[in-house]
């Protein structure tokens, strides 16, 4: 029950943050960064990309479970 309440509080805070974007004057340097909600979209996509890259690195760097104990009893 408390997890559900925390999710709702989190969603409300995020929605209020995006709504607060109406009251801020934007001076975009690249055109796109002046759009409404750009910070929220950019932050979400950046986080998503970081998670996907970390997952990919996990597959590349993964070692077998017995990687460090291989060959210890083979003397």
């Amino acid at each position: 029950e408390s997890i559900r309440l925390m999710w709702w509080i989190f969603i409300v805070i995020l929605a209020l943050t995006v709504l607060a974007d109406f009251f801020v004057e934007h001076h975009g340097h690249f055109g796109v960064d002046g759009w409404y909600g750009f910070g929220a979209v950019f932050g979400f996509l950046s986080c998503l990309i970081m998670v996907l890259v970390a997952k990919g690195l996990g597959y590349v760097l993964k070692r077998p479970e017995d990687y460090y104990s291989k060959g210890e009893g083979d003397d």
Side-chain angles (χ1 to χ4, degrees), residues 34-60:
W35 292 356
Y36 169 75
F38 173 78
V41 172
F42 183 76
F44 177 76
L45 292 178
S46 298
C47 183
L48 181 67
I49 289 170
M50 286 191 294
V51 168
L52 293 176
V53 167
K55 282 285 199 183
L57 275 174
Y59 287 121
V60 170

Side-chain angles (χ1 to χ4, degrees), residues 6-59:
M6 287 192 306
W7 270 106
W8 277 109
I9 291 171
F10 183 63
I11 289 170
V12 167
I13 290 172
L14 287 176
L16 290 174
T17 304
V18 173
L19 287 174
D21 200 22
F22 275 124
F23 304 105
V24 177
E25 185 178 347
H26 295 283
H27 301 284
H29 298 285
F30 303 106
V32 184
D33 56 344
W35 292 356
Y36 169 75
F38 173 78
V41 172
F42 183 76
F44 177 76
L45 292 178
S46 298
C47 183
L48 181 67
I49 289 170
M50 286 191 294
V51 168
L52 293 176
V53 167
K55 282 285 199 183
L57 275 174
Y59 287 121

Side-chain angles (χ1 to χ4, degrees), residues 15 37 62:
K62 188 187 308 185

